[in-house]
Amino acid sequence: MKIANLLKKENILHISHAENKWKLIQSLVVKLIGSYENENFSSELADSLLDGVLKRENQSSTSLGQGIAFPHGRVNGLNKPLIALAIIKDGMDFDSPDDMPTKLVFLFLFPGNRYDLGVKIQAVFARFLSENNNIEKLVNSSDADEVYRIIEDASLIVDTPIVAQDLMKGVKIKFTQDMLLHDATSNMKKYNTEVAPIVDENNNIIGEIDCIHLFQIELPDYIKKMHSVPKIHDFNPFSKYFENNASITLKEVMNKNIATVSLDASLLEIIFLLAVKKHFVVHVCEKGKLVGFIDRITVLDKVFNL
């Protein structure tokens, strides 16, 4: 499937600004419907296209950061993917995780019965935008013809499997093994994360700090094997932490049983580590260096909840 065949020139918009993301999404969906008049969209299907994108956007922002957003929806009754693109010269607020103004908004509509297709198409665009200053080329383009030519010349084709690189998120926080436990847990609370990687001076991952491992460290083995817990009110497994809170380092409590994969690890391998091996996070590495992570919510969001 050639990407250039899915993107019509009339669905490429150059605008100076946008009032808000909701009105922009509506404009792009209307533009798409109007450009496929020969498809004879029913009014019900047309409404479903917009509702699908808005429903997904209400769950969480589809901004990727770095000035890019991928609003999308999966709709029953649609027989092929549809793509529209808005290039906003002045940028706009799209609830970006890095607070950067969004200048490229790709809107995708996918058939409801093709769960894999949406992930693959978005992955192709994400790779394209990460290479050869392509973001800058699109933002600085003068018209739809130039945009189409840039995308066509890239020969973007959907024929590759979903891999770790397509699913991973950037690393929020990372720690060193000599960091104090108190400081680490404070940062984990700040970033609302249950797991954080621990790296050496070369950014090689050597372990992780995670809530479940911390909870289990001081529990006696007999309690770990019990199916229920007796009401022992004066037993506190965390007394050691309270007493030595100022001096415990991550080296003493880090979990070394971690899951790591390469950028080209398959979706099956990732799900196996998360579901069968029960890791909360899979750390993605390139040549031994930590570059990203995949957790269960990420897989739900990008695969099952597409």
Side-chain angles (χ1 to χ4, degrees):
M1 182 181 294
K2 191 175 181 181
I3 290 292
N5 293 337
L6 301 176
L7 179 63
K8 290 187 173 187
K9 292 180 183 179
E10 54 262 49
N11 292 327
I12 301 171
L13 305 181
H14 278 78
I15 55 179
S16 58
H17 67 278
E19 185 175 344
N20 59 60
K21 67 178 182 179
W22 307 108
K23 290 187 177 180
L24 177 63
I25 287 172
Q26 184 174 14
S27 297
L28 289 174
V29 172
V30 170
K31 191 77 172 174
L32 273 172
I33 294 172
S35 68
Y36 284 92
E37 291 181 356
N38 59 324
E39 297 288 337
N40 296 316
F41 288 124
S42 66
S43 59
E44 291 80 10
L45 179 56
D47 290 341
S48 294
L49 297 179
L50 178 58
D51 291 344
V53 182
L54 296 180
K55 180 179 179 181
R56 174 59 187 83
E57 194 64 35
N58 269 307
Q59 291 175 358
S60 62
S61 174
T62 53
S63 171
L64 305 182
Q66 297 184 310
I68 307 164
F70 282 1
H72 58 270
R74 188 160 47 86
V75 182
N76 292 327
L78 192 64
N79 58 15
K80 62 183 176 184
L82 304 178
I83 304 174
L85 166 61
I87 300 171
I88 306 102
K89 182 179 179 181
D90 298 334
M92 66 174 297
D93 178 14
F94 215 96
D95 298 319
S96 173
D98 58 9
D99 294 324
M100 288 180 60
T102 298
K103 294 188 176 183
L104 295 176
V105 177
F106 289 84
L107 185 136
F108 304 102
L109 294 169
F110 305 117
N113 62 344
R114 291 297 308 275
Y115 288 86
D116 61 330
L117 188 58
V119 179
K120 290 183 177 181
I121 289 177
Q122 290 183 78
V124 168
F125 272 102
R127 292 177 188 175
F128 165 71
L129 294 170
S130 69
E131 301 169 350
N132 303 323
N133 299 317
N134 286 325
I135 294 177
E136 185 178 350
K137 291 178 185 178
L138 293 177
V139 170
N140 293 330
S141 62
S142 57
D143 54 31
D145 287 334
E146 184 179 356
V147 172
Y148 188 83
R149 188 164 56 250
I150 292 169
I151 293 175
E152 188 174 40
D153 289 348
S155 299
L156 305 178
I157 298 175
V158 180
D159 64 351
T160 55
I162 302 167
V163 296
Q165 183 179 4
D166 305 326
L167 300 175
M168 72 178 188
K169 294 181 179 179
V171 179
K172 295 179 181 179
I173 52 174
K174 54 187 175 182
F175 305 135
T176 58
Q177 61 179 341
D178 57 351
M179 187 176 189
L180 294 176
L181 174 63
H182 176 268
D183 295 335
T185 54
S186 294
N187 274 282
M188 291 170 71
K189 177 183 177 182
K190 176 182 177 182
Y191 286 92
N192 193 30
T193 182
E194 295 184 44
V195 184
I198 301 173
V199 297
D200 62 16
E201 62 275 10
N202 297 315
N203 199 39
N204 295 305
I205 187 166
I206 58 175
E208 66 186 19
I209 181 77
D210 68 87
C211 294
I212 297 298
H213 184 67
L214 284 178
F215 296 161
Q216 292 178 341
I217 286 177
E218 292 302 308
L219 288 178
D221 287 339
Y222 74 87
I223 288 185
K224 296 178 185 178
K225 296 175 182 178
M226 297 176 76
H227 296 292
S228 62
V229 179
K231 296 180 179 180
I232 307 175
H233 296 287
D234 59 350
F235 173 67
N236 183 359
F238 304 108
S239 57
K240 173 185 173 182
Y241 293 146
F242 295 137
E243 293 172 4
N244 304 311
N245 189 46
S247 61
I248 295 177
T249 64
L250 297 188
K251 183 178 181 179
E252 300 173 67
V253 296
M254 71 177 178
N255 179 18
K256 295 182 180 180
N257 178 28
I258 59 176
T260 62
V261 296
S262 60
L263 288 168
D264 60 355
S266 69
L267 177 61
L268 178 60
E269 182 180 354
I270 293 162
I271 291 179
F272 177 81
L273 290 170
L274 293 172
V276 179
K277 292 298 184 179
K278 300 188 183 304
H279 290 280
F280 284 88
V281 167
V282 174
H283 305 281
V284 184
C285 300
E286 181 179 18
K287 296 179 180 179
K289 312 297 182 185
L290 181 66
V291 294
F293 75 96
I294 302 169
D295 58 15
R296 299 172 186 181
I297 295 299
T298 303
V299 176
L300 286 174
D301 183 44
K302 292 198 173 185
V303 179
F304 295 103
N305 278 344
L306 180 69

